[in-house]
Amino acid sequence: LEAGVKANNTPDYRMLRRNGVDTSESNAKYFEAEIPKIASERISGPERDELLKKLTESAKSAATAYRELKDYVAKTFFDDLNAKGDAGVKAQFRGDRFMMGEKEYNWAIKNNLKIDKSAAELYEEAWPIVQATREEMIKIAREIGQQKNLKLPEDGPAAVNAVIEELSKDYPKSDAEMVNWYKEAAFRLVDYSRKTGIFDVPNDYKLEVVETPPPLQSSIDGAAYYPAPPFKNSGVGRFYVSTTNNDVAKLKANNRASIADLSAHEGFPGHDWNYKVMTQYRDRISPVRWLTAGAVEDSSSMWQDSMASEGWGLYSEALMAEPQADSPNGFYTLEEKLYQLQGKLYRDLRVRIDTGIHIGKMKYDEAVDLFSEIDEFQPGSCQSAEALKNDAKRASCDSSEKAIFRYSKWPTQAITYRIGKDQIFALRAEANKLLGDKFSPKAFHILFMQYGTIPPPYFRAELLKELKEKTK
């Protein structure tokens, strides 16, 4: 940080405030209070008192270190931490400082992600895809409206918003109930996959759905998955759900119909199932590929891993929507299908926004407004006073800003969802064409996951060759 100040190459003020100040204080409280409490509950044996004493002393030292970091950041970069925007930031550190730049972005997507298009091309092609998904959502919303005898507005986006408002009435009344609903949805997904034979799920398969722990709450918006250690058979990955402090508007955003899609992405058959399959076949995966698996914000190569892992997560959402014999919408109800499309929409929109903000085609606040208006069908600017008076718009602006903050500090990660998913579908279609009536989607999926967290273009030819040999 000191070197950055001398070189005038400092972090964006939003990251300084959120990660340098707020998260440091959260971590300090966690080490100071929670760690000793957890240790007191779990440590036993003859050396318990001595261990607790040493751990408590170390935890206090850690808390002190985090508070020193917080104080350094506050003193170095801010005049007033309570001022809105960059008004309280010292003059030399104001303004947007998150942009990666077009040259660097193009290098990253070519060399890390093996994408043969430029950032500008991805930016332009994203918008028609976003519009097509929105139209599909409008169509589904009108079907739901007809089934429920709702009088919907003529305007398409307003009709979607009206249906979402209706569905949000069936919401969890507390954070505890919300987490339980996520658990129930995850278990339903597993049962569905067993019954339909999409995957062969072992009887001892476990999925742990828990509240996001305090140190991670500022960096996890909604939900996230953290895998178990890859070299152990006994580890359990965790599907974290961030609590809302029982905020009614946010609980409504986690209504019953909205939960299945995210559960498919983070739980089954998304990340949890993906990592369990990779662990089962870990001898096929080079150990070096495990070094960044599960990392969140500490490695640029994470985004390379993300093409396969997040691409698989989004592909899983779509896979659960594929029609089955007695289920035209696959696993989802029609209402859940609407939210599955919304999940697709915001991954489509991410390609537009991530490229836009990092190559200078879009400002930060413009991206927040666009995300709220396009993905969440909440018109109006998040910078207006009116936005704060409307509960739904306020919740939308809050979640939208968290999303844009994430994209601003992790350039190229946000695009890996849609592009990774598209690459899996393209590879699946190619394998189907190659094998004809010998093609098995189940065999393709398991083999795909065995290649680990590598962008599909790197192993395309090898996978097709292996599939062909297996069907001889």
Side-chain angles (χ1 to χ4, degrees), residues 225-236:
Y225 180 76
Y226 279 55
F231 301 111
K232 294 182 179 180
N233 289 325
S234 59
V236 177

Side-chain angles (χ1 to χ4, degrees), residues 29-39 214:
K29 290 178 179 177
Y30 182 74
F31 276 96
E32 190 172 56
E34 292 298 319
I35 286 288
K37 179 183 175 184
I38 293 170

Side-chain angles (χ1 to χ4, degrees), residues 355-404:
T355 54
I357 62 175
H358 284 291
I359 67 175
K361 290 184 177 290
M362 196 181 301
K363 296 290 187 183
Y364 188 97
D365 287 344
E366 291 173 345
V368 173
D369 290 346
L370 184 68
F371 198 92
S372 176
E373 182 172 347
I374 298 299
D375 178 64
E376 302 195 0
F377 296 85
Q378 292 288 341
S381 171
C382 289
Q383 282 67 57
S384 68
E386 289 75 15
L388 299 176
K389 298 175 183 177
N390 182 308
D391 284 346
K393 181 65 176 178
R394 175 175 56 81
S396 168
C397 290
D398 180 62
S399 62
S400 297
E401 194 281 328
K402 287 179 180 177
I404 304 308

Side-chain angles (χ1 to χ4, degrees), residues 175 178-179 182-183 209-213 217 220 222-224 238-244 254 262-263:
D175 284 334
M178 178 183 72
V179 174
Y182 274 101
K183 289 180 183 178
V209 184
V210 296
E211 291 185 10
T212 304
Q217 285 177 0
I220 294 180
R238 288 179 174 84
F239 172 4
Y240 288 131
V241 178
S242 293
T243 51
T244 69
N254 288 276
L262 189 54
S263 298

Side-chain angles (χ1 to χ4, degrees), residues 97-233:
R97 289 173 175 258
F98 58 80
M99 287 184 288
M100 190 181 201
E102 191 162 4
K103 182 178 179 181
E104 188 73 14
Y105 200 104
N106 285 337
W107 188 96
I109 59 177
K110 177 183 178 182
N111 293 283
N112 291 345
L113 307 181
K114 209 172 176 64
I115 296 172
D116 59 2
K117 295 178 180 179
S118 69
E121 288 174 314
L122 293 174
Y123 175 82
E124 293 298 336
E125 75 172 18
W127 192 241
I129 295 173
V130 168
Q131 290 176 311
T133 306
R134 290 246 300 176
E135 288 302 314
E136 196 173 355
M137 283 188 72
I138 291 168
K139 179 183 176 183
I140 294 290
R142 296 212 179 278
E143 287 184 43
I144 294 171
Q146 189 173 17
Q147 287 185 5
K148 293 181 176 292
N149 295 317
L150 301 175
K151 188 175 181 181
L152 299 180
E154 290 295 322
D155 177 68
V160 174
N161 200 27
V163 171
I164 288 175
E165 284 185 19
E166 178 67 21
L167 296 177
S168 71
K169 294 176 182 177
D170 185 10
Y171 69 93
K173 301 307 183 286
S174 67
D175 284 334
E177 187 174 27
M178 178 183 72
V179 174
N180 193 52
W181 283 12
Y182 274 101
K183 289 180 183 178
E184 291 173 356
F187 297 148
R188 284 196 295 117
L189 283 156
V190 173
D191 289 342
Y192 174 81
S193 295
R194 284 188 174 126
K195 290 174 183 175
T196 56
I198 296 175
F199 293 103
D200 295 323
V201 188
N203 291 330
D204 61 353
Y205 172 76
K206 280 191 201 174
L207 172 59
E208 189 166 328
V209 184
V210 296
E211 291 185 10
T212 304
L216 297 177
Q217 285 177 0
S218 64
S219 59
I220 294 180
D221 178 25
Y225 180 76
Y226 279 55
F231 301 111
K232 294 182 179 180
N233 289 325

